[in-house]
Every structure is written in C-alpha cells, then in structure tokens.
Amino acid sequence: VALIAPMLIMTLHQAKLTSLLTTSLFVVAVAVALAWWMEDATNKDIVGATAAYAAVLVVFVGTGTNTTW
C-alpha cells in the first residue's frame, strides 16, 4: 500500500507539484510508521529504510514525463 498509493496518485494527477507533495508526505508518513512499529530497530535502521523508500519514490518522480506545475 505504501508504494501503490503514491504511485497511483502521481499517475492519475501528473503535475510536478502533486508528485513532489505526494512523495514528501508519504516519506514522512512511512518514517513515522517505521519509528512507531520498529521497536527493536536503531535510529540508523529507520533512517536507512526511510531512505530506501524515498529513493524508490524519487525515481518514480524523476521518470515522469509531464513537467507542468
């Protein structure tokens, strides 16, 4: 759900602003969720998982063809 929902939003609404806001909001939401549920993880584990998730979404934003704001 964490990957499908933002990609679906960015596909249906192809404005660059929508892509950037969707990516930012979902990355923050995933970071909070990981910090909440990963009780035995260290801070670097949570930052690493969040960075990997953000990288996937940034690649999706970067490959978008529409450049309208």
Side-chain angles (χ1 to χ4, degrees), residues 3 6-7 10 16 19-20 22-24 26-27 50-64:
L3 281 175
M7 288 183 182
M10 290 185 281
K16 186 66 77 172
S19 295
L20 295 174
T22 302
T23 300
S24 299
F26 272 88
V27 167
T50 303
Y53 176 75
V56 171
L57 290 183
V58 167
V59 167
F60 190 76
V61 170
T63 59

Side-chain angles (χ1 to χ4, degrees), residues 3-40:
L3 281 175
I4 294 171
M7 288 183 182
L8 184 62
I9 292 169
M10 290 185 281
T11 301
L12 295 176
H13 303 282
Q14 294 186 355
K16 186 66 77 172
L17 181 61
T18 303
S19 295
L20 295 174
L21 287 175
T22 302
T23 300
S24 299
L25 292 175
F26 272 88
V27 167
V28 169
V30 165
V32 169
L34 289 174
W36 184 267
W37 281 300
M38 292 178 66
E39 296 173 356
D40 295 334

